[in-house]
Amino acid sequence: MKAKAIIFDKDGTLFPYNLWKNPIRKFFSSELPLSKLSPSKKEACIDEFSSVVGIKKDGTLNSNGLFLKRSYFSSFFSLVFITLKYHLNPFKSAKGFLKIKNRCRYGYKEELKKYDFSRLQKLLLEYKRNGSNLAVFTNDTKESLDIFLSVFGRGFFSFSIDDTSLHTKPDPRTIKDYSMFSKIEAKDMMIVSDSVKDLKMAKKAGVGTIVALEGTAETKELKKWADYVFSDIISALSFFIS
């Protein structure tokens, strides 16, 4: 199977979520009103806020976290509970937390530079040599995407979607936008993502091959929407290129 175009979700697909661990912790340490807490309580508070977002203290995922499930209602009450538990100023806490899209400014580039992308880059280069057009889609900020591409390499991808794009995920029109840009029909595309919302988006848009990655959703749920399910992106790309 040869896809003429391949769409990659950025977070959790092109790199593991745990690369966000330190930037998120630094973000909370800087932006939340924690100065009156003892060092131990400050760390415990940051642990709890980070877990609600989706990253536990050890770097593993909280599968019910805000970034993963987009469970705004339950996350809101969890955040309020933590704020009251540690006697934080609610207005300052809310104001700080709402800046979370700026978390990429708190050591994200440094974390990316530590990670070895060489196997993934090698595979993507092989796909490009075989004539596949590559794109990266994210709901994250343009600033975050730019930082990622500055480390990973801009030359891999000819098209991108971020939170400033005309249409954003999970709108199926993002696929149409890419199709208009690349002159490749959706049926000749492949999408690779760990997000059920992305898989549903691809299905609605008529993407020809839908590939799911395990990690943020139950395998049985992924199988409802995907043609293939793999444990990680290296396994997925290696399978198709062979």
Side-chain angles (χ1 to χ4, degrees):
M1 190 282 299
K2 179 183 176 183
K4 294 180 180 179
I6 308 176
I7 300 165
F8 297 94
D9 174 36
K10 178 173 76 72
D11 298 339
T13 299
L14 291 175
F15 73 90
Y17 276 107
N18 60 15
L19 290 189
W20 277 117
K21 174 191 168 185
N22 290 331
I24 286 174
R25 294 185 68 83
K26 289 177 182 177
F27 167 81
F28 284 135
S29 179
S30 174
E31 296 297 338
L32 294 181
L34 307 177
S35 59
K36 294 182 180 180
L37 298 180
S38 66
S40 60
K41 283 192 174 182
K42 180 179 178 179
E43 287 301 306
C45 181
I46 292 173
D47 290 344
E48 293 188 39
F49 272 114
S50 299
S51 184
V52 171
V53 167
I55 309 292
K56 298 178 183 179
K57 184 177 181 179
D58 62 1
T60 58
L61 295 182
N62 171 12
S63 59
N64 293 314
L66 177 60
F67 288 163
L68 298 154
K69 292 293 186 181
R70 302 290 174 182
S71 50
Y72 298 106
F73 188 74
S74 61
S75 296
F76 171 77
F77 285 103
S78 296
L79 294 170
V80 170
F81 175 78
I82 297 168
T83 300
L84 296 176
K85 176 181 177 180
Y86 289 93
H87 307 290
L88 305 180
N89 183 302
F91 299 104
K92 290 182 179 179
S93 297
K95 185 178 179 180
F97 190 85
L98 289 173
K99 298 178 183 178
I100 195 147
K101 281 202 169 186
N102 298 329
R103 64 193 183 280
C104 61
R105 301 175 187 174
Y106 293 83
Y108 178 49
K109 190 169 187 176
E110 289 76 7
E111 293 300 315
L112 289 171
K113 286 182 175 179
K114 295 176 187 176
Y115 192 73
D116 183 8
F117 289 106
S118 59
R119 290 183 65 197
L120 176 55
Q121 290 167 328
K122 184 178 179 180
L123 282 167
L124 293 187
L125 283 173
E126 194 164 348
Y127 273 90
K128 283 177 67 69
R129 283 195 293 267
N130 288 340
S132 293
N133 194 294
L134 308 181
V136 56
F137 283 22
T138 182
N139 273 330
D140 212 346
T141 61
K142 184 178 188 302
E143 181 181 7
S144 176
L145 178 59
D146 283 343
I147 291 173
F148 171 76
L149 293 177
S150 73
V151 175
F152 188 87
R154 297 181 184 277
F156 289 95
F157 308 100
S158 65
F159 185 83
S160 63
I161 291 286
D162 57 49
D163 73 336
T164 66
S165 301
L166 176 63
H167 301 117
T168 57
K169 295 195 311 174
D171 190 330
R173 287 177 291 182
T174 56
I175 307 294
K176 185 176 180 180
D177 293 341
Y178 182 36
S179 181
M180 291 177 65
F181 170 83
S182 64
K183 311 302 180 188
I184 298 170
E185 295 182 45
K187 66 181 180 64
D188 295 319
M189 293 182 180
M190 179 168 76
I191 189 168
V192 185
S193 178
D194 67 337
S195 165
V196 171
K197 288 186 177 181
D198 285 356
L199 307 181
K200 292 180 179 179
M201 172 188 75
K203 183 76 76 174
K204 289 179 182 178
V207 171
T209 306
I210 301 176
V211 179
L213 301 183
E214 297 174 331
T216 63
E218 295 288 336
T219 302
K220 62 181 180 180
E221 179 68 9
L222 296 173
K223 287 181 176 179
K224 288 181 185 178
W225 302 99
D227 302 304
Y228 303 87
V229 179
F230 293 92
S231 60
D232 56 70
I233 190 171
I234 299 298
S235 301
L237 293 180
S238 299
F239 173 84
F240 289 111
I241 210 161
S242 62

